[in-house]
Amino acid sequence: GNPLSGENVGIIGSLTNLKHLAISPYYWQMPAGWSTLVNLEYLSVSLPDFFLSSGGQAGNIPAYFGNFTKLKTLKLRHSNWTGNIPASLGDLVNLEVLEMPDNHLTGTIPSSFNNLTKLTKLDLSGNELTGPIPNILGIPMAADVNIIGNAFNFSGMESNISRLDQYSPQALIDASLIGPMCVGCISSH
């Protein structure tokens, strides 16, 4: 491969007919100039292990990724991405594979993911996602959905159980009993 540096990585944005982009290792924040890559069908960005172990972060996932509507595969694996998942990713209606495991993503799954009706794989495992699981019934039943290793609560699980292939284990949920606890209160009459 060709070495890239922080100064010249933005030049990739001028390749507006580019369809396949895989960069590893990747060390920089996503340049705003990459928003012109609207013909991408495949995008994979990852960081090297030594960068991850030193606490390096890729930053937030750019909202402009939602403009890549021809994208079929988006892999942002093991790259220390931070922040919320942009709702604009729900605009990627041709997306078949969305892999964002083992990052530091927070918030919840955007409800716009219901627009991803062509997904065959959704992997959000090993992040810091929280809250209820939104209705994801728009995601095909045959899709492999993996959300283990987050801190979702069980709210919303019942309506989505047919879509969740790998749900547990979640982080410990802080729960407390409210009201009296009665042992032997059930009558045998």
Side-chain angles (χ1 to χ4, degrees):
N2 295 324
L4 293 173
S5 69
E7 297 91 41
N8 65 12
V9 73
I11 196 80
I12 293 172
S14 66
L15 305 172
T16 57
N17 291 320
L18 192 64
K19 292 185 182 212
H20 186 108
L21 179 58
I23 297 183
S24 179
Y26 187 83
Y27 305 95
W28 316 277
Q29 299 286 322
M30 285 285 148
W34 285 21
S35 63
T36 60
L37 300 175
V38 295
N39 289 307
L40 280 178
E41 295 177 7
Y42 180 97
L43 176 59
S44 177
V45 178
S46 63
L47 291 171
D49 289 340
F50 72 84
F51 188 76
L52 295 175
S53 63
S54 68
Q57 294 183 335
N60 292 343
I61 298 170
Y64 68 72
F65 278 16
N67 297 333
F68 302 161
T69 57
K70 294 181 182 179
L71 210 56
K72 293 181 181 176
T73 300
L74 178 58
K75 294 182 177 185
L76 305 174
R77 303 171 57 94
H78 316 289
S79 298
N80 278 0
W81 292 97
T82 58
N84 292 336
I85 299 171
S88 62
L89 294 187
D91 296 335
L92 303 176
V93 295
N94 291 306
L95 204 59
E96 297 170 3
V97 175
L98 178 55
E99 296 181 359
M100 300 188 297
D102 302 318
N103 288 292
H104 295 283
L105 298 172
T106 56
T108 190
I109 300 170
S111 61
S112 63
F113 276 27
N114 271 317
N115 300 332
L116 304 177
T117 60
K118 294 182 180 178
L119 272 186
T120 58
K121 183 173 186 178
L122 173 63
D123 188 352
L124 301 173
S125 63
N127 281 289
E128 298 165 17
L129 299 171
T130 59
I133 300 169
N135 176 341
I136 55 171
L137 296 178
I139 294 174
M141 204 155 166
D144 178 18
V145 177
N146 182 350
I147 60 170
I148 66 171
N150 285 288
F152 291 111
N153 61 40
F154 292 102
S155 177
M157 185 175 165
E158 58 283 345
S159 63
N160 290 297
I161 197 71
S162 64
R163 301 302 192 276
L164 302 175
D165 296 296
Q166 298 180 44
Y167 177 76
S168 292
Q170 295 299 311
L172 292 176
I173 297 172
D174 184 20
S176 58
L177 180 64
I178 299 173
M181 185 169 163
C182 181
V183 177
C185 292
I186 301 174
S187 174
S188 60
H189 294 68

